[in-house]
Amino acid sequence: MDIHVSGQPALEADADHLLIFATKDDDLLERGALRRLNDALDGGLTPLVEAGELTGAVNQTVVIHTFGKTTAPRVVIAGLGPAEQLGLDEYRNAAATGARKARSLSTGTLAIEVDGEQCDLGMAEIAGAIAEGLDLGLYRFDRHRTPKQTPNDLTRVSLHSDDVAAAEAGIAEGRSLAGAANFARDLANEPSNLLTPTELAGRAEAWAGEHGVEIEIMDEAAAAELGMGSFLGVAKGSHQPAKFLILRHRGGADEPGLGYCGKGITFDTGGISIKPAANMEAMKQDMSGAAAVVASMGAIADLKLPINVTALAPCTENMPGGNAIKPGDLLTAMNGATIEVINTDAEGRLVLADALSYANHLGLSPLIDVATLTGAVAVALGDVATGVMANDDGLAAEVIEAGKRAGEKFWQLPMFDEYDEQIRSQVADVKNTGGRLAGAITAAKFLARFAGDTPWAHLDMAGTDDAAKTRGTQVKGASGVPVRSLVRFAAARAEASA
Ligand code: BES
Ligand code: MN
Ligand code: ZN
């Protein structure tokens, strides 16, 4: 889909659909594009407002046929919600919802009126948010469906703005962010027989090539050489060779830079501590953390962020093969720590133990790991917020702040010393489960041992990796969380060090 900017008013655009945004207030017809549309329709919108059919509420779309009074035969009006609460995410969601509505009606072109009259955001920001919302909201995963899910397509979109240069700059950024999130969605939605660790490595390599990111793919022998006994322990049950991905963006000074680690379990059966059958298919998405860190590197490179960032992704299946690790087994991680495996289904922390150890070996700082780590975090925060646990509250606050700009929600959970007792082992330095209570936190406590003294934040996205329904920028299926926050975090760090 092509998105371009035009200085011509959208009401005069030659398009199949027009998209206009409405804020929710009593005189919504008195301002901006909606006023101009109402004038063009000789006041035709007034009865709709009086009848309460057109209010500008969030998620509302109203379709108007204009019978020759505008160049486009049809107008979609999408609600932004109350003007006082208008921010970038409202634009993202309204663009997503409005464009999906237009697409549901027919294939064709869409002209969007972008006026900054409703709020004090800049044109680059608004146009960027709209483009980001369009690419996120129009996402579909239909590559394996014959025929395709919805035959309609939006082929060309024009954004009509009085500041073409600013709008163009914003659109490029918005599309990079959404493109990265959509790449992560494609990886996470892909069935695990098609997305093995080897295939994931291949797709990461192609992505890196397209975006000018360096990539190194470590095989099991190289990981063994480094002493990654914890990662390789998980890989033992599978016939698929494990891969450890390393992606580098060099944009900054001569220092190691940020380290992003992502859990890359291409399928989690639970291993010998096997999972029940119900919903096990969702475990094809247990590599969402790896997908997120790999994907974020594409946008970080597109935006030419003046900072060094390294993404590490330990990728393997977790299978109950004849050679699989068993409860009670002992593993030694790269940092020398010994681990008693109580439950082979707590495998994410095992692969991340070596990723964090390796990140420290490379001198990366700060570290952020991203993982579908515990069902417990979903019990605590649902599918709304990603859990943040950190050894540095300032870093946690920066992640939460990056999330606000991206439109992704995070919530911090505590890391009190008392929780350490739950993962004490009789036979090893640490055990890999901490019992039923505070499961998200004890998992983070396990990881903290491998982050060591390096400032580190852990993002548990087991509740947010998947969207249960389509709404705004979310499309049912893999969510692409927290790709855009990782990019915004790197951008904020780059700006702070400039
Ligand atoms: N991948 C799962 C966590 C998960 C659960 C992600 C549901 C998405 C949805 C993880 O590897 C796991 O199995 N965690 C266990 C840990 C337990 C054995 C300590 C869990 O949460 O039950
Ligand atoms: Mn598991
Ligand atoms: Zn898992």
Side-chain angles (χ1 to χ4, degrees):
M1 184 178 73
D2 169 62
I3 303 183
H4 66 277
V5 184
S6 164
Q8 178 198 37
L11 291 185
E12 294 161 24
D14 180 18
D16 298 302
H17 316 265
L18 198 60
L19 173 58
I20 289 183
F21 301 113
T23 49
K24 184 174 185 296
D25 49 52
D26 295 335
D27 48 5
L28 77 168
L29 293 180
E30 303 305 315
R31 269 188 308 277
L34 221 46
R35 177 174 48 76
R36 292 193 289 278
L37 177 64
N38 199 30
D39 288 348
L41 299 176
D42 305 318
L45 297 177
T46 308
L48 292 179
V49 172
E50 283 169 359
E53 275 178 50
L54 170 59
T55 63
V58 167
N59 287 323
Q60 183 185 67
T61 55
V62 175
V63 179
I64 312 281
H65 292 256
T66 63
F67 303 108
K69 289 180 174 166
T70 59
T71 324
R74 243 179 337 221
V75 183
V76 177
I77 304 173
L80 289 167
E84 315 82 74
Q85 289 164 28
L86 187 53
L88 294 175
D89 220 37
E90 283 65 36
Y91 276 104
R92 287 184 198 109
N93 285 319
T97 307
R100 262 199 311 270
K101 186 72 198 178
R103 185 179 65 181
S104 75
L105 299 171
S106 74
T107 286
T109 55
L110 175 68
I112 306 181
E113 175 73 38
V114 189
D115 67 53
E117 285 173 51
Q118 289 140 316
C119 62
D120 51 13
L121 297 163
M123 179 52 67
E125 283 181 293
I126 297 174
I130 291 172
E132 192 178 333
L134 291 172
D135 282 340
L136 291 170
L138 293 170
Y139 174 82
R140 310 184 260 221
F141 185 72
D142 55 6
R143 63 170 70 181
H144 303 300
R145 291 181 71 167
T146 49
K148 298 285 182 211
Q149 200 176 340
T150 354
N152 296 345
D153 232 331
L154 292 180
T155 50
R156 284 187 89 215
V157 177
S158 50
L159 261 55
H160 297 260
S161 157
D162 52 15
D163 188 346
V164 173
E168 280 174 347
I171 289 170
E173 181 172 323
R175 299 204 83 178
S176 278
L177 287 158
N182 287 346
F183 176 62
R185 283 165 151 181
D186 275 344
L187 294 175
N189 281 324
E190 195 73 288
S192 77
N193 61 328
L194 304 179
L195 196 89
T196 59
T198 303
E199 175 65 16
L200 178 49
R203 296 213 195 165
E205 198 166 21
W207 174 254
E210 284 161 30
H211 294 271
V213 172
E214 287 173 35
I215 182 165
E216 191 185 319
I217 297 164
M218 215 169 13
D219 63 12
E220 291 185 10
E225 195 78 15
L226 286 167
M228 294 186 170
S230 188
F231 167 51
L232 293 172
V234 176
K236 279 179 72 184
S238 171
H239 289 295
Q240 289 294 335
K243 302 287 171 188
F244 191 108
L245 314 183
I246 304 157
L247 286 82
R248 290 192 188 83
H249 165 74
R250 293 188 208 270
D254 195 23
E255 56 183 43
L258 303 181
Y260 288 167
C261 302
K263 169 179 172 181
I265 302 296
T266 59
F267 195 84
D268 182 11
T269 65
I272 295 298
S273 314
I274 200 159
K275 287 180 180 295
N279 303 318
M280 206 207 272
E281 71 281 1
M283 288 301 116
K284 71 174 184 179
Q285 292 188 25
D286 211 22
M287 34 52 71
S288 300
V293 301
V294 168
S296 73
M297 296 295 281
I300 287 169
D302 284 355
L303 302 180
K304 300 189 164 55
L305 296 183
I307 187 168
N308 293 337
V309 187
T310 301
L312 305 175
C315 302
T316 176
E317 290 182 328
N318 184 26
M319 295 287 283
N323 204 28
I325 51 166
K326 305 167 291 300
D329 283 2
L330 189 110
L331 300 174
T332 305
M334 183 183 169
N335 72 347
T338 56
I339 301 164
E340 183 187 7
V341 177
I342 300 298
N343 189 318
T344 65
D345 197 11
E347 85 297 341
R349 65 198 77 182
L350 296 176
V351 304
L352 285 172
D354 278 329
L356 291 167
S357 298
Y358 188 58
N360 270 324
H361 171 77
L362 296 175
L364 305 174
S365 177
L367 303 178
I368 298 180
D369 79 70
V370 190
T372 46
L373 207 64
T374 67
V377 84
V379 172
L381 303 174
D383 60 3
V384 176
T386 299
V388 183
M389 287 144 273
N391 63 8
D392 180 317
D393 286 341
L395 179 59
E398 280 180 63
V399 170
I400 292 166
E401 189 54 37
K404 282 184 183 154
R405 282 192 301 279
E408 296 177 331
K409 294 184 174 69
F410 293 90
W411 198 261
Q412 192 178 0
L413 300 176
M415 290 282 277
F416 300 124
D417 292 341
E418 286 86 339
Y419 295 113
D420 283 310
E421 285 171 31
Q422 289 176 239
I423 53 170
R424 216 165 273 156
S425 166
Q426 296 305 306
V427 300
D429 299 337
V430 65
K431 61 182 184 181
N432 82 330
T433 59
R436 211 170 55 82
L437 301 179
I441 298 171
T442 53
K445 279 289 183 180
F446 178 94
L447 296 178
R449 301 198 166 227
F450 301 89
D453 294 331
T454 312
W456 154 81
H458 157 62
L459 312 184
D460 192 340
M461 54 180 294
T464 53
D465 69 309
D466 190 76
K469 58 180 190 306
T470 297
R471 184 191 160 108
T473 56
Q474 289 196 346
V475 175
K476 185 174 163 54
S479 65
V481 168
V483 172
R484 293 175 301 118
S485 299
L486 292 174
V487 180
R488 298 269 174 182
F489 177 88
R493 276 278 168 154
E495 199 173 314
S497 67

